[in-house]
Amino acid sequence: NLKIQPSGAYAANLLGLSEQVPAKVVFLTDGSTRIVQVGNRQIKFKKTTPKNMATAGRVSGLVIQALRYMKQRNIDEKIINSLKRRLSAEDKKQLISDIRYAPAWIEKVVRRLQE
């Protein structure tokens, strides 16, 4: 019954916000921290807070983690427009619903996605 959620560069890559393919894939989890070897790739499961896991399994969780990784200073019109095109109306609605789990600066980005 563990929950996992892509984090960091992997989340940004999954959303098409970064072409960088991370050497180490990191998933947030509500279970214990561990590293799993799958072939020649290491997958890290990093224990995190319940607040960070509240959006696990939803696009909103992926977007929040990707934006955290990219940092506020790097979010520009290109990123905003890419997310606008990629996210469905339902995804955007879910993001608004889950915004309480994100830092305040991400809320401003999400509001711009609604425009």
Side-chain angles (χ1 to χ4, degrees):
N1 284 335
L2 294 178
K3 289 192 248 177
I4 62 170
Q5 173 168 276
S7 179
Y10 188 52
N13 181 266
L14 289 173
L15 285 169
L17 302 179
S18 169
E19 293 181 14
Q20 174 186 353
V21 179
K24 292 185 181 178
V25 175
V26 178
F27 284 89
L28 299 178
T29 182
D30 55 359
S32 60
T33 297
R34 69 182 68 155
I35 296 175
V36 176
Q37 189 77 28
V38 178
N40 62 352
R41 179 167 259 193
Q42 284 189 343
I43 301 173
K44 181 174 185 177
F45 294 93
K46 184 177 175 184
K47 184 172 177 69
T48 191
T49 64
K51 182 177 179 181
N52 282 336
M53 292 306 297
T55 56
R58 299 194 290 259
V59 169
S60 53
L62 195 61
V63 171
I64 291 167
Q65 291 305 313
L67 292 175
R68 275 189 175 143
Y69 166 76
M70 297 184 79
K71 306 215 183 316
Q72 183 177 7
R73 67 180 176 274
N74 298 319
I75 306 302
D76 57 14
E77 287 304 312
K78 182 179 174 186
I79 299 294
I80 299 291
N81 290 333
S82 177
L83 283 172
K84 278 183 180 180
R85 285 189 307 273
R86 177 132 180 131
L87 301 175
S88 69
E90 189 62 33
D91 292 339
K92 291 174 188 175
K93 185 178 175 182
Q94 184 68 58
L95 257 171
I96 289 293
S97 174
D98 290 338
I99 200 63
R100 65 185 175 271
Y101 301 113
W105 71 266
I106 291 179
E107 179 178 359
K108 292 176 185 175
V109 173
V110 170
R111 299 275 179 218
R112 289 180 61 194
L113 294 175
Q114 302 299 313
E115 297 171 354

